[in-house]
Amino acid sequence: MPELVAGAREGRPRAVARLISLVEGASPRLREVMAALAPHTGHAYVVGLTGPPGVGKSTSTSALVSAYRRAGKRVGVLAVDPSSPFSGGALLGDRIRMGEHASDPGVHIRSMATRGHLGGLAWAAPQAVRVLDAAGFDVVLVETVGVGQSEVEIAAQADTSVVLLAPGMGDGIQAAKAGILEIGDVFVVNKADRDGADATVRELHHMLGLGEARAPGDWRPSVVKTVAARGDGVDEVVEALEKHRAWMEERGVLAERRARRAAWEIETIAVTALRERIGDIRGDLRLTALAERVTTGATDPYAAADELVRALAR
Amino acid sequence: MPELVAGAREGRPRAVARLISLVEGASPRLREVMAALAPHTGHAYVVGLTGPPGVGKSTSTSALVSAYRRAGKRVGVLAVDPSSPFSGGALLGDRIRMGEHASDPGVHIRSMATRGHLGGLAWAAPQAVRVLDAAGFDVVLVETVGVGQSEVEIAAQADTSVVLLAPGMGDGIQAAKAGILEIGDVFVVNKADRDGADATVRELHHMLGLGEARAPGDWRPSVVKTVAARGDGVDEVVEALEKHRAWMEERGVLAERRARRAAWEIETIAVTALRERIGDIRGDLRLTALAERVTTGATDPYAAADELVRALAR
């Protein structure tokens, strides 16, 4: 295990892949791994990408990877499908499309899906991000497949959240319904060579209230047009991301967001642990011993319950 | 509070009533009360009475109270309505019908309903039984209003469970559906002066498999016919109860049942406590401090979650 952690810190692809598999499989050794990785985290810039199917998310992700690589950055990609119980399968197409980066040691691409464990991916994705962070990737792109509640939740845990749309899909309305307008720091209208791109941009400007006055400290979301398949506009997306990052750093917002993300991670893990303990109570042998003490009047049910909860909390 | 506990132990009605109100209102001082009462519990014989509406449960309860009073026993009655959010109201009619015992200091009658607190009556009823037990009542009758799941659960927590039926209501089938056939130690066919009483008894014999061979250690449920309004057959019910009690004592079954009841009480209280803790997590200030330590890499989310759970478990 220490070897694996050391390997991952040196950025060795197989060590990184094995550690993410431990996360995905909710391995009991995760605690050990996460404790070893903790001191090396906090350096990666985490970007979430979400949007309705068909907007070209994986093409855009691939184009962003290329742009960051040109700037000399090491890039990790986490493609997350909360709705699929299978890992790899549903996203295999994406991985093949990302093939151009397959032989690049500065890029690590990984698909993740729930394996039915408690808390699901909402819980596992941030841990996989920690692995990539500790492995020294400068940028980690977290791409979610759809726009369901858990996708939005995952995307909202990023330093910067990118919402992708495309013209002529009524996407603005779809996005509003899914609640992704609120989480977007940067909006990308992809396939901007198609009819209706400007209408989509206008719709977005209207829905985001970009024409209105804003409190001085508020971030004004960027809207960028791209044709990701040709690489058009992708440098502008990177520019918008860097602008948002600088804005957050200046105001302490980045630290705030990361603290909020950490709180959310801790909460998710703690709730999962407490739920498991509730399930454990019926089968706990200590319960039988406590029950006997209650029947003899040596203790009362409240004190016994306290004792049981303390015992379960270790 | 010690005065109240002392008063209840001397059997003073107002002290008993106030302690049960504390139970019903899920008072934070309950722990203290239950700890003080614990050494004085374990003496009362707890009888659960359940059955479909219209079988004459409160008339039967009242008749049983009279029978036990004739034998010189002090009797507590807990009339429980898990479906009603109001205390007193729905059961007022019953209490008036029980009026004949109102001036008898050897009888304490109490209606209980959920007050919307966590766990509801399933949790509160056994605590109220503890109060009556510690107050020196020899017999505690727990009567539930209907045959829903929580009624059956409450009735099953007794030393002996009585299932009441009446002729001509298709009660046998109703009872089977509600799962009360399994919990009955003694079956009472009330209103036995009506047509169909013998058919109901035969139906019961059949459904309970009373004609079949039984393992030597198994209790063979009694079936008793009564006309509770006239007091007919009520002494036979008491006889059946005492027979069941003696059978349980001989075989150590009474101690087993009480240990199971205590385990169930502890479990219910512990689960409620853990659920409350889950709810507390988001608002816990310690979470913010832990999150900051995670963002700086001083600790990892798992260790932080462990720390939070330990802190919540006190």
Side-chain angles (χ1 to χ4, degrees):
Chain A
M1 189 63 70
E3 212 176 309
L4 213 52
V5 169
R9 287 197 46 214
E10 287 162 23
R12 279 194 230 131
R14 291 187 60 183
V16 172
R18 281 207 49 201
L19 287 184
I20 297 183
S21 293
L22 292 180
V23 169
E24 209 177 23
S27 159
R29 306 200 65 182
L30 266 189
R31 286 167 183 276
E32 201 183 319
V33 171
M34 288 305 154
L37 294 180
H40 313 289
T41 58
H43 307 292
Y45 173 46
V46 183
V47 178
L49 293 109
T50 191
V55 295
K57 271 195 300 291
S58 65
T59 314
S60 297
T61 303
S62 183
L64 270 176
V65 170
S66 303
Y68 273 116
R69 288 302 289 145
R70 281 195 299 274
K73 307 280 189 189
R74 297 181 66 228
V75 188
V77 175
L78 210 57
V80 170
D81 186 355
S83 60
S84 164
F86 303 107
S87 172
L91 295 157
L92 196 60
D94 297 348
R95 283 206 282 191
I96 289 164
R97 269 201 279 172
M98 302 269 257
E100 56 176 304
H101 306 294
S103 59
D104 182 347
V107 179
H108 192 98
I109 297 172
R110 172 70 176 224
S111 298
M112 275 188 97
T114 52
R115 284 263 168 92
H117 54 68
L118 273 163
L121 272 179
W123 166 89
Q127 308 311 317
V129 168
R130 286 183 171 274
V131 173
L132 293 167
D133 183 358
F137 290 98
D138 303 294
V139 179
V140 176
L141 304 176
V142 181
E143 176 198 329
T144 57
V145 161
V147 286
Q149 206 200 315
S150 32
E151 273 105 338
V152 171
E153 206 170 35
I154 291 165
Q157 301 305 323
D159 294 330
T160 299
S161 294
V162 177
V163 173
L164 286 127
L165 301 170
M169 298 169 66
D171 277 341
I173 287 112
Q174 270 194 46
K177 273 193 198 155
I180 58 178
L181 286 185
E182 291 89 75
I183 65 157
D185 302 302
V186 172
F187 289 81
V188 173
V189 177
N190 191 32
K191 305 186 179 178
D193 51 344
R194 293 199 184 168
D195 282 350
D198 289 328
T200 301
V201 169
R202 273 196 307 274
E203 192 187 2
L204 262 176
H205 271 264
H206 176 72
M207 294 184 91
L208 297 168
L210 292 179
E212 295 157 28
R214 222 158 253 264
D218 280 6
W219 169 251
R220 183 181 296 268
S222 321
V223 180
V224 185
K225 287 197 287 187
T226 60
V227 184
R230 292 200 307 247
D232 293 358
V234 176
D235 287 339
E236 284 77 4
V237 176
V238 171
E239 215 171 276
L241 292 175
E242 291 304 321
K243 202 180 127 202
H244 183 243
R245 181 191 195 164
W247 177 88
M248 287 194 296
E249 274 173 349
E250 267 167 38
R251 282 162 184 79
V253 174
L254 188 60
E256 262 171 43
R257 282 203 178 189
R258 287 180 174 182
R260 210 168 58 208
R261 181 165 77 217
W264 182 85
E265 281 179 68
I266 299 168
E267 184 188 325
T268 310
I269 295 168
V271 166
T272 304
L274 286 172
R275 288 236 168 88
E276 278 169 358
R277 266 150 220 196
I278 286 179
D280 285 345
I281 285 180
R282 190 153 300 194
D284 200 289
L285 283 175
R286 288 164 290 196
L287 178 57
T288 315
L290 285 167
E292 248 163 63
R293 290 179 48 215
V294 168
T295 54
T296 60
T299 189
D300 66 281
Y302 289 88
D306 285 347
E307 224 172 290
L308 184 62
V309 168
R310 268 197 303 270
L312 289 171
R314 239 152 298 157
Chain B
M1 189 64 68
E3 212 177 309
L4 214 52
V5 169
R9 286 199 47 214
E10 287 161 22
R12 280 196 230 131
R14 291 186 60 184
V16 172
R18 281 207 48 201
L19 287 183
I20 298 183
S21 293
L22 292 180
V23 169
E24 208 177 24
S27 159
R29 305 201 64 183
L30 266 189
R31 285 164 183 277
E32 201 184 316
V33 171
M34 289 303 153
L37 294 180
H40 313 291
T41 58
H43 307 292
Y45 174 47
V46 183
V47 178
L49 293 110
T50 190
V55 296
K57 271 196 300 291
S58 65
T59 313
S60 298
T61 302
S62 183
L64 270 175
V65 171
S66 302
Y68 273 117
R69 288 303 288 145
R70 282 195 297 274
K73 307 279 190 192
R74 298 181 65 228
V75 188
V77 176
L78 210 57
V80 169
D81 185 356
S83 60
S84 165
F86 303 108
S87 171
L91 295 156
L92 196 59
D94 297 348
R95 283 205 282 190
I96 288 164
R97 269 200 280 171
M98 300 270 258
E100 55 175 305
H101 306 295
S103 59
D104 182 348
V107 179
H108 192 98
I109 297 171
R110 173 70 177 224
S111 298
M112 275 188 96
T114 52
R115 284 263 168 91
H117 55 68
L118 274 164
L121 272 179
W123 165 88
Q127 308 312 316
V129 168
R130 285 181 173 274
V131 173
L132 293 167
D133 184 359
F137 289 98
D138 304 295
V139 180
V140 176
L141 305 176
V142 181
E143 177 198 327
T144 57
V145 161
V147 285
Q149 205 200 316
S150 31
E151 273 103 340
V152 171
E153 205 170 38
I154 291 165
Q157 300 305 323
D159 294 330
T160 299
S161 293
V162 177
V163 173
L164 286 126
L165 301 169
M169 298 169 67
D171 277 342
I173 288 113
Q174 270 194 46
K177 272 192 196 155
I180 59 177
L181 287 184
E182 290 88 76
I183 64 157
D185 303 302
V186 172
F187 288 82
V188 173
V189 177
N190 191 33
K191 305 186 179 177
D193 52 345
R194 292 198 184 169
D195 283 350
D198 289 328
T200 301
V201 170
R202 273 196 307 274
E203 192 187 0
L204 262 177
H205 271 264
H206 176 72
M207 294 183 91
L208 297 168
L210 291 179
E212 295 157 27
R214 222 158 253 264
D218 279 8
W219 168 252
R220 183 181 295 267
S222 321
V223 179
V224 185
K225 287 197 287 186
T226 59
V227 184
R230 293 201 307 246
D232 293 357
V234 177
D235 287 337
E236 284 78 4
V237 176
V238 171
E239 215 170 277
L241 293 175
E242 291 305 321
K243 202 178 127 202
H244 183 243
R245 181 192 195 162
W247 176 88
M248 285 193 297
E249 274 173 350
E250 267 167 38
R251 284 163 183 79
V253 174
L254 187 59
E256 261 172 43
R257 282 203 178 190
R258 288 180 174 182
R260 210 168 55 207
R261 181 165 78 218
W264 182 84
E265 281 179 68
I266 298 168
E267 185 188 324
T268 310
I269 296 168
V271 166
T272 304
L274 286 172
R275 288 236 169 87
E276 279 170 356
R277 268 150 220 196
I278 286 179
D280 285 345
I281 285 179
R282 192 153 299 196
D284 200 289
L285 283 175
R286 286 165 291 198
L287 178 57
T288 315
L290 285 166
E292 248 161 63
R293 290 180 47 215
V294 169
T295 52
T296 60
T299 189
D300 66 281
Y302 290 88
D306 285 347
E307 223 172 290
L308 184 62
V309 168
R310 267 197 303 270
L312 289 171
R314 235 151 304 155

